[in-house]
Amino acid sequence: MPSRCKSHPVHHLPNKPCLDFKSLKELPDSFKWAPLDGPSRALELESESESESESVPVVDLNDPNAQKLIGLACKAWGVFQVINHGVSKSLLDKIEACGKSLFALPVQQKLKAVRSADGVTGYGPARISSFFPKRMWSEGFTIVGSPLEHARQLWPNDYSKFCAIIEEYQNEMNTLAEKLMWLILGSLGISTRDVKWAASPTGANPFKGASGVIQLNSYPACPDPSRAMGLAAHTDSTLLTILHQSSTSGLQVFQEWAGSWVMVPPISGGLVINIGDLLHIISNGLYSSVYHRAVVNKTRHRLSVAYLYGPEPNVRIQPLPKLSDANRPPLYRPVTWSEYLGIKGKHFDKTLSLIRLNNDSNEDNDNNSTLINGLKRGVDRTKSIKVDSNTKILAAFA
Ligand SMILES: O=C(O)CCC(=O)C(=O)O
Ligand SMILES: [Fe+2]
């Protein structure tokens, strides 16, 4: 076991050494989950389709009805894909190539940029993995702000190209995230006037102080995908998440009304948009954050790049007054992003219910979906989630 690995017990629990996935010809017991429910593995043939289930909506941002279509998708799914979003295919290809070259480095090299025990950035297992008894078949790299320090550790002589691409990606994603935020809020009848903390006086930079974290995820080909988990079910602790997935499928979302997992097929040049917990709060539960997970594939490596977008860390997030009234009182108390992440780090799936205001009439109004509310209402999704007995519903920390 490499010595750096031993010194980071939080991310590499006892008897869980850092590893080279390629060297494993069989799935070790520590990676064996209960057989997955739903489409349990990425499709071996990309041409196959899950013809029986409905599919996640795809919205063309050039469509004059885009705002309305986004509203319908948010209400029904909490997730949609976008095309014609303004981010070039060549930039998506470049970030994917960056991710591939990073994860293809020898383990010893990647460990030079390992995430520290109390840190956020760098290389390591899925950020939620320390809360599960079983290990996930994935590795990740988290970037907050400049990646310079870690990039130097990974490629001492050749880090500037990586940094330039990351910077370009951050800028483009931020612009798209702002645009999506106003489209999503617009679909609820909310304008810049209604979100004072986000709108700057000039209107030039809506979502003042908002920023994003880049999460690169790598899912190596796996000897037994039916028993492995790439990334366990969770909701994101964000306003929204923009996900680029490579051409190999693996992302699944939980479809509440059907009580089943649905694969989100990669669209060349398309991006997946997830509603996160903070948008769930400010929409007063009208748009639910979506449970999602990643499954793995027997023959193909999969890569995804998540842009986890959140507000200025100390701004008060609360149900927008326009979306609350006597019939629909505010469902959640005010919370900052920092505070929310702190609670989620301790209480995981219970976070939304912990900040929920105690008001009986709220129960029927909430279009959500925490595991707890689902259990109370007997919503099928929880039954389906529970089938996978090793799965806890956890947050991805942004
Ligand atoms: O790889 C994926 O498809 C999902 C990634 C994800 O959910 C995350 O990074 O939060
Ligand atoms: Fe996620």
Side-chain angles (χ1 to χ4, degrees), residues 178 181-182 185 190-210 239 282 309 311-312 315-317 320:
E178 286 178 352
M181 277 307 297
W182 291 118
L185 291 175
I190 300 296
S191 71
T192 47
R193 279 190 307 279
D194 303 313
V195 201
K196 301 227 167 26
W197 50 267
S200 74
T202 61
N205 179 22
F207 281 91
K208 244 186 331 166
L239 285 167
I282 64 176
Y309 183 74
E312 199 275 305
V315 90
R316 275 158 63 101
I317 297 297
L320 291 165

Side-chain angles (χ1 to χ4, degrees), residues 191-263:
S191 71
T192 47
R193 279 190 307 279
D194 303 313
V195 201
K196 301 227 167 26
W197 50 267
S200 74
T202 61
N205 179 22
F207 281 91
K208 244 186 331 166
S211 61
V213 171
I214 293 182
Q215 175 67 37
L216 300 163
N217 301 302
S218 168
Y219 306 92
C222 174
D224 184 2
S226 68
R227 296 293 303 273
M229 178 65 84
L231 188 60
H234 64 279
T235 58
D236 292 340
S237 309
T238 56
L239 285 167
L240 57 79
T241 302
I242 304 177
L243 187 89
H244 165 60
Q245 49 175 348
S246 65
S247 59
T248 301
S249 57
L251 173 65
Q252 298 184 342
V253 296
F254 196 75
Q255 193 182 22
E256 183 161 351
W257 71 86
S260 59
W261 290 99
V262 175
M263 194 73 83

Side-chain angles (χ1 to χ4, degrees), residues 125-138:
R127 300 176 57 77
I128 57 176
S129 54
S130 54
F131 304 111
F132 291 86
K134 294 292 177 179
R135 303 182 66 181
M136 294 174 212
W137 194 264
S138 60

Side-chain angles (χ1 to χ4, degrees), residues 276-337:
D277 294 341
L278 301 187
L279 198 43
H280 182 123
I281 295 168
I282 64 176
S283 73
N284 204 20
L286 289 170
Y287 292 167
S288 291
S289 51
V290 64
Y291 287 115
H292 54 287
R293 69 183 185 187
V295 297
V296 294
N297 189 291
K298 187 153 195 162
T299 53
R300 298 183 61 167
H301 173 253
R302 174 169 181 267
L303 188 105
S304 74
V305 186
Y307 186 73
L308 302 155
Y309 183 74
E312 199 275 305
N314 295 316
V315 90
R316 275 158 63 101
I317 297 297
Q318 58 192 324
L320 291 165
K322 244 189 170 175
L323 303 177
S324 329
D325 57 27
N327 293 326
R328 188 181 176 79
L331 297 178
Y332 301 99
R333 70 167 173 82
V335 65
T336 65
W337 195 18

